[in-house]
Amino acid sequence: MVSQSHATAAADPFEVSEAFLKRRRLVDLTMRCILFLAASLSILVTAGIVYVLVSEAAHFFAQVSIVDFLTDTQWTPVFQEKHFGIMTLVSGTLMTSAIALIVAVPAGTILSIYLSEFAQPQVREAIKPILELISGVPTVAFGYFALLFVTPLFQTFIPGLSGFNLLVPGIVIGIMILPFIVSVSEDAMRAVPNSLREGAYALGFTRLQTSVRVVIPGAFSGITAAYILGMSRAVGETMVVAIAAGQQAKIAVNPLEGAATITAYIVQISLGDLPHGSIAYLTIFAAGLTLFVITFLFNILAFWLRRKYREVY
Amino acid sequence: MHGSVDGVAQADLAHNAAQLRAEVKKLSFYYGTSQALKSVDLPIVDRQVTALIGASGCGKSTLLRCFNRMHDLYVGNRYEGSITLYPENLDIVGPGVDPMLVRLRIGMVFQKPNPFPKSIFDNVASGLYIRGVKTRAIVEQRVEQSLRQAALWEEVKDRLHQSAYGLSGGQQQRLCIARALAPNPGLILFDEPTSALDPIATAKIEELVDQLRLNYTIVIVTHNMQQAGRISNFTAFMHLGQMLEYAPTKQFFTAPEHPKTQEYITGRFG
Ligand SMILES: Nc1ncnc2c1ncn2[C@@H]1O[C@H](COP(=O)(O)OP(=O)(O)O)[C@@H](O)[C@H]1O
Ligand SMILES: [Mg+2]
């Protein structure tokens, strides 16, 4: 490979020195350490939060049985006669979240199809900042919007609607998570390669047929993930329900009436003056852990769906 | 290039009495302001294979994509001239012609296999579904027939309802051919269908094109002259957006007229 004349020639300009290689290895190692530390930090913070939640909740469950917690139908931690039925709060949370999804899923799907497949670039560039504006509005503003504007408006045509109710906060949360859902699912749709669209048009598909039969299946995992992450957000949403849904903990069956959600309860109880370590104080962590488990399950579901339906182009 | 003015040109074709399936006349094409085709003329003989060859960037794909109005998907593109489809006598690029209608009659197979994110069966059936064919028995029968024509049936008949993405590249390309065949188009366009495939898969596709000529009219773009020689009946040579030479394949390769063609096929450029 190396000829004789080469070996005797003057220093090869492309010769790599030992010192250079050493320096390279050192830089590489340092960078890897920094990146590793940054990654560990985020994991440590999460682990710390989970640790506090679980350890405080453990104190709670030392005094209240898990069976009572899951089956009792009343939630009265500060009353004389105490009940700890978390399903009251869970039902409120699930009710508002379900209403939010009923609003956000169809609207989000239609909007993202429109933006990704139909809108002219100028229209898309005009609509996206408006959506981002919505997600920039403080949630407390949405809360009072629900309580002081939407509820009175709806009361004019929905007779049984209480001043505090689950319907209106649910709808408003749906509007709040819409930009997030649209942004994630539109990204997923736009990531579908153009070669698939061309294949569909070449077969004679219309634009709508291409969107529904090719683009949506192609972006399925991303779209599903968008909905489930949107659901997680709806479940964790606090201000709107704290302001507009009422604070009465009961099993929620009628969306026209008010009921407390997990987050609304946590706000309410934290604002009060609670002795550290009292059972009422510990309910914060039990409720927080429940919320954590619910969103965690949704995230696992999203992760699983993503893996199952991920398409490799 | 052609003497006749009415649709059925045949006078100056090297072989006579051939039926034309389509005819390109004075076709110019613009990507915005940049002209990619310059007054191209080309006859497409019925149930024969016409190969488009020429150096990379000379406008082969651009010409092919005029046939099914693919350019309409992107803004700013413009056609001048005509492509007449026979026997319908439809000017494909004419004003007021619905591109969707054109695409319902003309199939296309792309350079890179592009199966839909669906099952093998649904891929082949998709062209039938959107034409309103719903009867299960007819769809099943047509899917099987197309997969057999594409020489893929034996390999996939036990996993029709699995994802098309589980197939190899060569199988995916044959699936795309079956998908194009299923609605029984009069004309099928192939844009370098083997350039992403290994030699064995390439040989299979070439064999397939040879079979398809019995029932379909085919226009195939290739940058591989040997391939053009092996599978086509007519060869058209393009250079910088112009059509320089068109002849029966044998004559094209043995006695090219244009000096540029001679240079190209003797490998002095391109
Ligand atoms: N979308 C496009 N916009 C602008 N110019 C294009 C576009 N596609 C192709 N071209 C130009 O048109 C010419 C012909 O391209 P193409 O038909 O793809 O060549 P070929 O298929 O023969 O390699 C090239 O000069 C290319 O740069
Ligand atoms: Mg090309």
Side-chain angles (χ1 to χ4, degrees):
Chain A
M1 199 172 85
V2 180
S3 71
Q4 286 302 7
S5 64
H6 239 102
T8 54
D12 179 353
F14 296 111
E15 177 74 45
V16 181
S17 77
E18 202 48 45
F20 174 78
L21 283 178
K22 224 180 201 157
R23 218 167 38 242
R24 240 168 68 123
R25 271 198 294 271
L26 195 70
V27 170
D28 188 54
L29 192 70
T30 326
M31 283 314 294
R32 263 198 292 180
C33 284
I34 293 175
L35 293 176
F36 177 76
L37 282 177
S40 337
L41 193 67
S42 64
I43 293 177
L44 276 177
V45 169
T46 314
I49 294 172
V50 174
Y51 173 76
V52 171
L53 265 183
V54 170
S55 61
E56 294 286 341
H59 291 304
F60 174 83
F61 287 115
Q63 301 175 45
V64 178
S65 90
I66 286 222
V67 176
D68 283 349
F69 185 68
L70 293 178
T71 57
D72 202 327
T73 55
Q74 288 178 61
W75 179 263
T76 53
V78 289
F79 287 10
Q80 204 63 47
E81 197 204 316
K82 295 188 187 333
H83 286 278
F84 301 97
I86 192 70
M87 283 308 152
T88 50
L89 303 179
V90 170
S91 67
T93 291
L94 291 184
M95 177 79 82
T96 49
S97 305
I99 293 170
L101 277 197
I102 289 172
V103 171
V105 169
T109 310
I110 291 170
L111 240 151
S112 36
I113 290 179
Y114 172 72
L115 286 180
S116 153
E117 305 300 313
F118 287 85
Q120 301 286 317
Q122 307 94 292
V123 179
R124 179 165 51 226
E125 293 322 308
I127 292 183
K128 289 194 90 170
I130 297 177
L131 286 173
E132 270 151 35
L133 213 66
I134 294 184
S135 54
V137 174
T139 54
V140 64
F142 274 110
Y144 282 103
F145 173 65
L147 180 68
L148 302 177
F149 179 73
V150 185
T151 296
L153 181 72
F154 278 25
Q155 276 171 330
T156 60
F157 58 90
I158 304 177
L161 191 64
S162 317
F164 291 115
N165 61 73
L166 294 172
L167 177 68
V168 171
I171 292 172
V172 170
I173 292 172
I175 296 170
M176 267 173 56
I177 62 174
L178 190 64
F180 173 78
I181 287 181
V182 169
S183 142
V184 175
S185 52
E186 194 227 344
D187 278 351
M189 288 184 199
R190 296 235 273 162
V192 172
N194 245 346
S195 62
L196 288 191
R197 292 188 184 85
E198 290 196 349
Y201 287 121
L203 272 172
F205 282 49
T206 62
R207 199 170 272 258
L208 188 65
Q209 286 169 330
T210 305
S211 312
V212 173
R213 291 163 183 259
V214 175
V215 177
I216 290 184
F220 186 79
S221 67
I223 296 173
T224 331
Y227 292 141
I228 294 173
L229 295 177
M231 177 80 180
S232 286
R233 284 197 161 193
V235 166
E237 170 46 38
T238 306
M239 286 316 285
V240 176
V241 282
I243 293 168
Q247 312 205 315
Q248 192 191 352
K250 61 176 187 191
I251 295 285
V253 278
N254 183 357
L256 302 183
E257 291 171 8
T261 66
I262 301 175
T263 49
Y265 168 75
I266 293 176
V267 171
Q268 177 201 357
I269 200 83
S270 322
L271 292 178
D273 194 12
L274 285 173
H276 191 93
S278 70
I279 186 78
Y281 170 81
L282 290 177
T283 56
I284 295 176
F285 296 94
L289 186 64
T290 309
L291 194 63
F292 177 78
V293 168
I294 294 176
T295 44
F296 188 67
L297 288 180
F298 280 124
N299 281 298
I300 287 185
L301 183 66
F303 181 76
W304 178 79
L305 280 170
R306 247 197 145 110
R307 279 215 355 195
K308 183 160 193 295
Y309 291 101
R310 178 163 47 206
E311 300 296 353
V312 185
Y313 300 110
Chain B
M1 191 168 162
H2 314 292
S4 65
V5 274
D6 64 9
V8 199
Q10 80 283 75
D12 55 351
L13 287 176
H15 71 116
N16 38 25
Q19 286 279 325
L20 285 191
R21 180 69 229 211
E23 186 171 32
V24 181
K25 269 189 183 161
K26 291 202 167 49
L27 181 72
S28 293
F29 179 80
Y30 302 81
Y31 287 111
T33 52
S34 99
Q35 185 170 12
L37 296 179
K38 294 169 187 157
S39 193
V40 167
D41 290 306
L42 178 71
I44 304 294
V45 182
D46 195 33
R47 282 162 215 258
Q48 300 286 327
V49 178
T50 303
L52 298 180
I53 65 168
S56 177
C58 68
K60 306 180 295 291
S61 301
T62 303
L63 173 57
L64 196 71
R65 290 159 67 89
C66 290
F67 280 90
N68 64 348
R69 299 276 298 265
M70 245 9 204
H71 297 300
D72 289 47
L73 299 180
Y74 307 98
V75 289
N77 296 336
R78 190 158 56 84
Y79 313 85
E80 270 171 17
S82 69
I83 303 178
T84 314
L85 196 63
Y86 301 115
E88 297 91 331
N89 237 325
L90 172 77
D91 179 11
I92 291 173
V93 298
V97 171
D98 182 359
M100 229 74 79
L101 216 73
V102 171
R103 297 184 197 127
L104 286 172
R105 296 163 192 238
I106 297 179
M108 182 162 189
V109 177
F110 295 78
Q111 194 162 354
K112 253 186 65 194
N114 57 355
F116 299 144
K118 293 177 176 237
S119 70
I120 292 169
F121 185 93
D122 282 342
N123 259 279
V124 183
S126 56
L128 303 173
Y129 293 150
I130 63 134
R131 283 164 177 78
V133 182
K134 296 236 169 59
T135 318
R136 191 73 193 165
I138 295 178
V139 173
E140 276 175 0
Q141 183 256 332
R142 189 63 200 150
V143 166
E144 175 174 344
Q145 195 181 0
S146 311
L147 283 168
R148 282 188 191 281
Q149 279 181 303
L152 191 60
W153 175 253
E154 292 302 325
E155 289 158 64
V156 301
K157 64 176 185 221
D158 298 322
R159 48 169 168 158
L160 288 174
H161 297 286
Q162 292 175 21
S163 165
Y165 289 105
L167 299 174
S168 73
Q171 289 174 324
Q172 288 189 6
Q173 192 62 307
R174 276 178 283 147
L175 180 68
C176 292
I177 294 176
R179 185 177 72 187
L181 294 177
N184 203 19
L187 179 62
I188 307 183
L189 314 167
F190 289 81
D191 192 351
E192 302 196 26
T194 61
S195 65
L197 304 181
D198 63 58
I200 294 173
T202 299
K204 277 199 174 148
I205 304 262
E206 287 186 6
E207 207 174 297
L208 195 60
V209 170
D210 210 43
Q211 294 293 315
L212 293 177
R213 128 178 47 209
L214 301 172
N215 300 306
Y216 299 91
T217 307
I218 290 170
V219 184
I220 182 166
V221 169
T222 170
H223 62 231
N224 179 331
M225 273 179 294
Q226 285 74 30
Q227 184 170 69
R230 280 192 298 269
I231 63 176
S232 73
N233 308 95
F234 297 91
T235 301
F237 174 63
M238 294 185 68
H239 181 64
L240 300 177
Q242 286 177 307
M243 186 60 69
L244 286 196
E245 187 156 354
Y246 167 83
T249 298
K250 212 179 237 152
Q251 181 189 331
F252 183 94
F253 283 104
T254 51
E257 279 174 14
H258 202 288
K260 277 271 188 296
T261 318
Q262 289 168 7
E263 274 178 46
Y264 186 72
I265 62 181
T266 52
R268 262 174 283 159
F269 80 91

